[in-house]
Coordinates of all heavy atoms in Angstrom, one line a residue:
D1 N 0.3 -2.9 29.3 CA -0.3 -3.9 28.5 C -0.1 -3.8 27.0 O 0.4 -2.7 26.5 CB -1.8 -4.1 28.8 CG -2.3 -5.5 28.8 OD1 -1.7 -6.3 28.1 OD2 -3.3 -5.8 29.4
V2 N -0.5 -4.8 26.2 CA -0.3 -4.8 24.8 C -1.5 -4.1 24.1 O -2.6 -4.6 24.1 CB 0.0 -6.1 24.3 CG1 0.1 -6.1 22.7 CG2 1.3 -6.6 24.9
V3 N -1.3 -3.0 23.4 CA -2.3 -2.4 22.4 C -1.6 -2.1 21.2 O -1.2 -0.9 21.0 CB -3.0 -1.2 23.1 CG1 -4.1 -0.7 22.2 CG2 -3.6 -1.5 24.5
P4 N -1.6 -3.0 20.2 CA -0.9 -2.6 18.9 C -1.7 -1.8 18.0 O -2.8 -1.4 18.3 CB -0.7 -4.0 18.4 CG -1.8 -4.8 18.8 CD -2.1 -4.3 20.2
F5 N -1.1 -1.4 16.9 CA -1.9 -0.9 15.9 C -2.8 -1.9 15.4 O -2.7 -3.2 15.5 CB -1.0 -0.4 14.8 CG -1.5 0.7 13.9 CD1 -1.4 2.0 14.3 CD2 -2.1 0.5 12.6 CE1 -1.9 3.1 13.6 CE2 -2.6 1.5 11.9 CZ -2.5 2.8 12.4
G6 N -4.0 -1.5 14.8 CA -5.0 -2.4 14.4 C -5.4 -2.1 13.0 O -4.9 -1.3 12.2
V7 N -6.4 -3.0 12.5 CA -7.0 -2.7 11.2 C -8.5 -2.4 11.3 O -9.0 -2.8 12.2 CB -6.8 -4.0 10.2 CG1 -5.3 -4.3 10.2 CG2 -7.6 -5.2 10.7
P8 N -9.0 -1.7 10.3 CA -10.5 -1.5 10.3 C -11.4 -2.7 10.3 O -10.9 -3.8 9.8 CB -10.7 -0.6 9.1 CG -9.4 0.0 8.7 CD -8.4 -1.0 9.1
T9 N -12.6 -2.5 10.7 CA -13.5 -3.7 10.7 C -14.2 -3.9 9.3 O -14.7 -4.9 9.0 CB -14.6 -3.5 11.7 OG1 -15.2 -2.2 11.5 CG2 -14.0 -3.5 13.1
T10 N -14.1 -2.8 8.5 CA -14.6 -2.9 7.1 C -13.4 -3.2 6.1 O -12.3 -2.6 6.4 CB -15.4 -1.6 6.7 OG1 -14.5 -0.5 6.9 CG2 -16.6 -1.5 7.7
P11 N -13.7 -3.8 5.0 CA -12.6 -4.1 4.1 C -12.2 -2.8 3.3 O -13.0 -1.9 3.3 CB -13.2 -5.2 3.2 CG -14.7 -5.0 3.2 CD -14.9 -4.5 4.7
P12 N -11.0 -2.9 2.7 CA -10.6 -1.7 1.9 C -11.7 -1.4 0.8 O -12.2 -2.3 0.2 CB -9.3 -2.2 1.3 CG -8.8 -3.3 2.1 CD -10.0 -4.0 2.6
A13 N -11.8 0.0 0.5 CA -12.7 0.4 -0.6 C -11.9 1.0 -1.6 O -10.8 1.4 -1.4 CB -13.7 1.4 0.1
P14 N -12.5 1.2 -2.8 CA -11.7 1.8 -3.9 C -11.7 3.3 -3.8 O -12.4 4.0 -4.4 CB -12.5 1.4 -5.2 CG -13.8 1.0 -4.7 CD -13.7 0.6 -3.3
V15 N -10.9 3.8 -2.8 CA -10.6 5.1 -2.6 C -9.2 5.6 -2.9 O -8.3 5.0 -2.5 CB -11.0 5.5 -1.1 CG1 -10.6 6.9 -0.7 CG2 -12.4 5.0 -0.8
G16 N -9.1 6.7 -3.6 CA -7.8 7.3 -3.9 C -7.3 6.7 -5.2 O -7.8 5.8 -5.9
A17 N -6.2 7.4 -5.7 CA -5.6 6.9 -7.0 C -4.8 5.6 -6.9 O -3.9 5.6 -6.0 CB -4.7 8.0 -7.5
G18 N -5.1 4.6 -7.7 CA -4.4 3.4 -7.6 C -3.2 3.3 -8.3 O -2.7 4.3 -8.9
I19 N -2.7 2.1 -8.4 CA -1.3 1.9 -9.1 C -1.5 2.2 -10.6 O -0.7 2.7 -11.3 CB -0.7 0.5 -8.8 CG1 -0.4 0.5 -7.4 CG2 0.4 0.1 -9.6 CD1 -0.1 -0.9 -6.7
T20 N -2.5 1.5 -11.1 CA -2.7 1.6 -12.6 C -3.0 3.0 -13.1 O -2.7 3.4 -14.3 CB -3.8 0.6 -13.1 OG1 -5.0 0.9 -12.4 CG2 -3.4 -0.8 -12.9
T21 N -3.6 3.8 -12.2 CA -3.9 5.2 -12.6 C -2.7 6.0 -12.5 O -2.4 6.9 -13.4 CB -4.9 5.8 -11.6 OG1 -6.2 5.0 -11.6 CG2 -5.2 7.3 -11.8
R22 N -1.9 5.8 -11.5 CA -0.6 6.5 -11.3 C 0.4 6.1 -12.4 O 1.3 6.9 -12.8 CB 0.0 6.3 -9.9 CG -0.9 6.8 -8.8 CD -0.4 6.5 -7.4 NE -1.2 7.0 -6.4 CZ -1.1 8.2 -5.8 NH1 -0.1 8.9 -6.1 NH2 -1.9 8.5 -4.9
F23 N 0.5 4.9 -12.8 CA 1.5 4.4 -13.8 C 0.7 3.6 -14.8 O 0.5 2.4 -14.8 CB 2.5 3.4 -13.0 CG 3.0 4.0 -11.8 CD1 2.7 3.6 -10.5 CD2 4.1 4.9 -12.0 CE1 3.3 4.2 -9.4 CE2 4.8 5.4 -10.9 CZ 4.3 5.1 -9.6
P24 N 0.3 4.4 -15.9 CA -0.4 3.8 -17.0 C 0.3 2.5 -17.6 O -0.4 1.7 -18.2 CB -0.5 4.9 -18.0 CG -0.4 6.2 -17.2 CD 0.6 5.8 -16.1
R25 N 1.6 2.5 -17.5 CA 2.3 1.3 -18.1 C 2.0 0.1 -17.3 O 2.3 -1.0 -17.9 CB 3.9 1.6 -18.1 CG 4.6 1.5 -16.7 CD 5.9 1.8 -16.8 NE 6.2 3.2 -17.1 CZ 7.4 3.7 -17.2 NH1 8.5 3.0 -17.0 NH2 7.5 5.0 -17.4
V26 N 1.4 0.1 -16.2 CA 1.1 -1.1 -15.4 C -0.3 -1.6 -15.8 O -1.2 -0.9 -15.7 CB 1.1 -0.8 -13.9 CG1 0.8 -2.1 -13.1 CG2 2.5 -0.3 -13.4
G27 N -0.2 -2.8 -16.4 CA -1.5 -3.3 -16.9 C -2.3 -3.9 -15.8 O -1.8 -4.3 -14.6
P28 N -3.7 -4.0 -15.9 CA -4.5 -4.5 -14.8 C -4.1 -6.0 -14.4 O -4.5 -6.4 -13.3 CB -5.9 -4.5 -15.5 CG -5.7 -4.4 -16.9 CD -4.4 -3.7 -17.2
G29 N -3.4 -6.7 -15.2 CA -3.2 -8.1 -14.9 C -1.8 -8.2 -14.4 O -1.2 -9.3 -14.0
D30 N -0.9 -7.2 -14.4 CA 0.5 -7.2 -14.1 C 0.7 -7.5 -12.6 O 0.0 -6.9 -11.7 CB 1.2 -6.0 -14.3 CG 1.4 -5.8 -15.9 OD1 1.2 -6.7 -16.6 OD2 1.8 -4.6 -16.2
P31 N 1.5 -8.5 -12.1 CA 1.8 -8.7 -10.7 C 2.5 -7.6 -10.1 O 3.5 -7.1 -10.7 CB 2.5 -10.0 -10.7 CG 3.2 -10.1 -12.0 CD 2.3 -9.4 -13.0
V32 N 2.1 -7.0 -9.0 CA 2.6 -5.9 -8.4 C 3.0 -6.2 -6.9 O 2.2 -6.6 -6.1 CB 1.6 -4.8 -8.4 CG1 2.2 -3.5 -7.6 CG2 1.2 -4.2 -9.8
L33 N 4.3 -5.9 -6.6 CA 4.8 -6.0 -5.3 C 4.7 -4.5 -4.7 O 5.2 -3.6 -5.3 CB 6.2 -6.4 -5.2 CG 6.7 -7.6 -6.0 CD1 8.1 -7.8 -5.9 CD2 6.0 -8.8 -5.4
L34 N 4.0 -4.4 -3.6 CA 3.8 -3.0 -3.0 C 4.6 -2.9 -1.6 O 4.5 -3.6 -0.7 CB 2.3 -2.8 -2.7 CG 2.0 -1.5 -2.1 CD1 2.2 -0.3 -3.0 CD2 0.5 -1.4 -1.7
W35 N 5.5 -1.8 -1.7 CA 6.2 -1.4 -0.5 C 5.3 -0.3 0.1 O 5.4 0.9 -0.4 CB 7.6 -0.9 -0.9 CG 8.4 -0.4 0.3 CD1 8.3 0.9 0.8 CD2 9.5 -1.1 1.0 NE1 9.3 1.0 1.9 CE2 10.0 -0.1 1.9 CE3 10.1 -2.3 0.9 CZ2 11.0 -0.5 2.8 CZ3 11.1 -2.7 1.7 CH2 11.6 -1.7 2.6
G36 N 4.6 -0.5 1.1 CA 3.5 0.4 1.5 C 3.9 1.4 2.6 O 3.0 1.6 3.5
G37 N 5.1 2.0 2.6 CA 5.4 3.0 3.6 C 6.7 3.6 3.3 O 7.4 3.4 2.3
G38 N 7.3 4.4 4.2 CA 8.5 5.1 4.1 C 9.7 4.2 4.0 O 9.6 3.0 4.3
I39 N 10.8 4.8 3.4 CA 12.0 4.1 3.3 C 13.0 4.7 4.3 O 13.5 5.7 4.1 CB 12.6 4.2 1.8 CG1 11.6 3.8 0.8 CG2 13.8 3.4 1.6 CD1 12.0 4.0 -0.7
Y40 N 13.2 3.9 5.4 CA 14.0 4.3 6.4 C 15.3 3.5 6.7 O 15.4 2.4 6.0 CB 13.1 4.3 7.8 CG 11.9 5.0 7.6 CD1 10.7 4.5 8.1 CD2 11.7 6.3 7.1 CE1 9.4 5.1 7.9 CE2 10.5 7.1 6.9 CZ 9.5 6.4 7.4 OH 8.3 7.1 7.2
D41 N 16.2 4.0 7.4 CA 17.6 3.4 7.5 C 17.5 2.1 8.1 O 18.6 1.4 8.0 CB 18.5 4.3 8.1 CG 19.0 5.5 7.3 OD1 18.6 5.5 6.1 OD2 19.7 6.4 7.8
W42 N 16.6 1.7 8.8 CA 16.5 0.4 9.4 C 15.9 -0.7 8.5 O 16.0 -1.9 8.8 CB 15.8 0.3 10.7 CG 14.5 1.1 10.8 CD1 13.3 0.7 10.5 CD2 14.4 2.5 11.1 NE1 12.3 1.7 10.6 CE2 13.0 2.7 11.0 CE3 15.2 3.5 11.4 CZ2 12.6 4.1 11.2 CZ3 14.8 4.8 11.7 CH2 13.4 5.0 11.5

């Protein structure tokens, strides 16, 4: 049967270092495209 990966029942929380923290040149209003995982050959 089908049992895919899922998502939590609670929304994301401000945990961990974000983009603006890691890259000070990124301003809080800058539009950001996020590639959220590994870079693989497929």
